[in-house]
Amino acid sequence: MAKILDGNRIRDQIKQECKPRVEALAASKRPPGLAVILAGDDPASGIYVRSKIKACKDLGIESEHVAPPASVTTAELLAIIGELNARSDIDGILVQMPLPAQVDSKAALLAVDPLKDVDGFHPYNMGCLVTGRPGPRSCTPAGIIEVLKRYDIPMAGRRAVVVGRSDIVGKPMAFLLLHENATVTICHSKTPDLAAMCREADILVAAIGQPAMIGARHIREGATVIDVGMNRITDRAQVERIFRGSREKLEAFDRNGSVLVGDVDPAAMAERASAYTPVPGGVGPLTIAMLMLNTIQSAERRFGAC
Ligand code: GUN
């Protein structure tokens, strides 16, 4: 029977470990401060940002939600980021992605002070990741490494396949696995015979944003499968197909008008993997836990440097 890698359990562990660090900062200086910029009204981003703010509150981290309108220009957003860079009470700045189409996302990420970049998205910090220097690591991939370590899943010498080459997940994931001495392959939409490549994997990470695209033929028997996908599906026939007519899922769909599914076919993953992250309750909670850690580390580093 496949082991379920419980992201909520690891998140709670990490939050417990964060608590004394926040308390120590609050006692000696002030609590860490995080600014979260959410431009526009994308509903999924809104849910993520509210979860991030709530996690801060639970831990005693000060947070500020900055909400420019969907019509914000690149220049306006750069001005907001510039103000946050200059504020001494803000240790971390997060620009929620995706940004509205008219905004130059690369310019926005470049504008964040690398010392306040709690996402690890700034090219300076990406360079630190690639060259093995200390610095903030992108939260979702860093959370995945934490779950693998805390469940004693070996990475050194293992074959890891990352499906998806985004700057947020795929690329940093590949480098973090490489630093753990895995042999890493990155696959993407132009990879021929994706299923054969995926079947090589001892550790398969799916980060493509396509509901249940990875199926039984992609998963080697006994592999560890990490499902990064968070796809909201609103078509009942698709729910029925993906969840094999599960009454529980269909009832949830009828109640809410949608259900969440990852990038991996859930039944195939449970049948073929030796361990896997479920959706929801796998990777999602870890991203937030790592954001808290990065924010605390940023505050500690800033005070240490004063
Ligand atoms: N959009 C999806 N995931 C993330 C993330 O980890 N950080 C930011 N800033 N935006 C995201």
Side-chain angles (χ1 to χ4, degrees), residues 45 48 52 94-98 119 121 138-140 168 287:
S45 292
Y48 296 144
K52 290 170 184 180
L94 178 144
V95 183
Q96 184 66 29
M97 296 286 147
D119 264 323
F121 291 168
S138 181
C139 300
T140 299
I168 293 179
T287 301

Side-chain angles (χ1 to χ4, degrees), residues 38-228:
L38 171 60
D41 38 29
D42 177 65
S45 292
I47 292 170
Y48 296 144
V49 165
R50 279 194 292 281
S51 307
K52 290 170 184 180
I53 303 264
K54 180 179 178 303
C56 285
K57 207 166 179 183
D58 291 348
L59 273 179
I61 295 174
E62 295 288 334
S63 66
E64 195 162 309
H65 180 183
V66 185
S71 59
V72 69
T73 64
T74 301
E76 286 163 350
L77 190 59
L78 295 191
I80 292 171
I81 294 169
E83 279 171 28
L84 294 168
N85 282 341
R87 272 178 52 185
S88 63
D89 59 329
I90 295 290
D91 305 298
I93 301 170
L94 178 144
V95 183
Q96 184 66 29
M97 296 286 147
L99 286 167
Q102 78 279 4
V103 175
D104 180 346
S105 300
K106 285 193 188 322
L109 296 180
L110 189 65
V112 174
D113 179 342
L115 294 173
K116 295 190 177 187
D117 169 31
V118 283
D119 264 323
F121 291 168
H122 190 285
Y124 175 85
N125 289 323
M126 284 288 218
C128 289
L129 163 65
V130 172
T131 55
R133 291 178 165 84
R137 305 297 191 227
S138 181
C139 300
T140 299
I144 292 169
I145 296 291
E146 268 316 303
V147 86
L148 293 171
K149 284 186 173 166
R150 289 176 192 237
Y151 274 97
D152 288 324
I153 293 169
M155 291 173 267
R158 298 301 169 102
R159 189 80 198 258
V161 174
V162 179
V163 190
R165 53 177 155 177
S166 70
D167 291 345
I168 293 179
V169 181
K171 285 177 202 162
M173 184 78 255
F175 280 102
L176 287 175
L177 286 163
L178 184 63
H179 292 320
E180 297 295 334
N181 297 311
T183 301
V184 184
T185 304
I186 306 179
C187 296
H188 47 77
S189 54
K190 302 286 188 295
T191 300
D193 202 350
L194 178 67
M197 294 299 289
C198 290
R199 280 197 308 273
E200 295 281 308
D202 300 307
I203 299 169
L204 178 62
V205 181
I208 34 192
Q210 298 290 335
M213 196 189 114
I214 301 295
R217 64 197 188 90
H218 299 81
I219 303 171
R220 174 201 281 205
E221 185 94 50
T224 296
V225 180
I226 305 293
D227 188 354
V228 183

Side-chain angles (χ1 to χ4, degrees), residues 29 36 96 164 216 220-221 279 298:
K29 303 279 183 186
V36 180
Q96 184 66 29
R220 174 201 281 205
E221 185 94 50
V279 176
S298 176

Side-chain angles (χ1 to χ4, degrees), residues 236 239-240 243-255 259:
R236 200 170 197 279
V239 176
E240 226 170 328
F243 293 102
R244 318 272 206 279
S246 149
R247 221 180 55 206
E248 188 195 336
K249 287 291 172 185
L250 284 167
E251 280 172 8
F253 178 84
D254 291 337
R255 257 194 324 274
V259 292

